[in-house]
Amino acid sequence: MLADLLPNVQWETMWAATVETLYMTGVAVAATFVLGIVLGLLLFLTAKGNLWENRFVNTVIAAFVNIFRSIPFIILIILLIPFTTWLVGTMLGANAALPALVIGAAPFYARMVEIALREIDKGVIEAAQAMGASTWTIIWKVLLPESLPALVSGITVTAVSLVGYTAMAGAIGAGGLGNLAYLEGFQRNHNDVTFVATVLVLIIVFVIQFIGDFVTSKIDKR
């Protein structure tokens, strides 16, 4: 029955494309989480009135974040082709999509991290300073724990965006469900392939959102 409704869908190929999408999303989310927190912390700590106040460093990091956050992802992929080819050795395949995915998503997440840190009650930070806590202790024991629900919520939103980015990357040969939907679905006019790929992308998004919401609800003590 299913074969009659979806005659052009090759399930092994569809599964392989799904695994590629999950791989790209998973690696990109992990790298984005780490890099985004580092950039977000630097943006927060070097801002006026904070622990590492430094106008020059803050301006440079803010400029980097704003520039790469503003470039449309499909254009960013094209701009990064020389860098990607140098780093990975090819511009095709799942690994080739990772540099653009991380560079495209990390600045976006960094701003979310900065916003989350700004919402922390400054009295908590001042109390830690009064007790003689070092900057690193304040980062690990105050800033990150206090902002953790917002950080998880932010990486959930970013992960959902990254799933969409992988689909766009697939259109220029990065693999995954986007590549399959474009080559097998759109170019060959196999609408059933496009439909199934779209449904699988939606399922991935729903699962990510569910997990993110569940974790946030568990760690949010407010």
Side-chain angles (χ1 to χ4, degrees), residues 64-82:
F64 171 83
V65 167
N66 289 336
I67 289 170
F68 283 95
R69 191 178 60 150
S70 303
I71 300 174
F73 183 70
I74 194 70
I75 296 176
L76 182 64
I77 296 175
I78 297 169
L79 289 175
L80 290 176
I81 284 176

Side-chain angles (χ1 to χ4, degrees), residues 27-130:
V27 174
V29 166
T32 297
F33 184 72
V34 174
L35 184 57
I37 285 180
V38 170
L39 288 173
L41 278 169
L42 288 173
L43 280 170
F44 175 76
L45 293 170
T46 58
K48 185 177 180 180
N50 287 333
L51 298 171
W52 290 345
E53 181 178 344
N54 188 311
R55 185 176 180 181
F56 174 76
V57 172
N58 185 266
T59 301
V60 170
I61 297 173
F64 171 83
V65 167
N66 289 336
I67 289 170
F68 283 95
R69 191 178 60 150
S70 303
I71 300 174
F73 183 70
I74 194 70
I75 296 176
L76 182 64
I77 296 175
I78 297 169
L79 289 175
L80 290 176
I81 284 176
F83 173 72
T84 300
T85 304
W86 171 79
L87 185 66
V88 183
T90 179
M91 59 171 286
L92 301 175
N95 287 328
L98 294 177
L101 290 171
V102 175
I103 293 173
F108 173 75
Y109 182 55
R111 281 298 184 190
M112 299 183 108
V113 173
E114 182 192 16
I115 292 169
L117 295 172
R118 283 181 177 177
E119 291 178 351
I120 297 174
D121 186 355
K122 285 200 172 183
V124 178
I125 301 173
E126 291 169 357
Q129 287 178 297

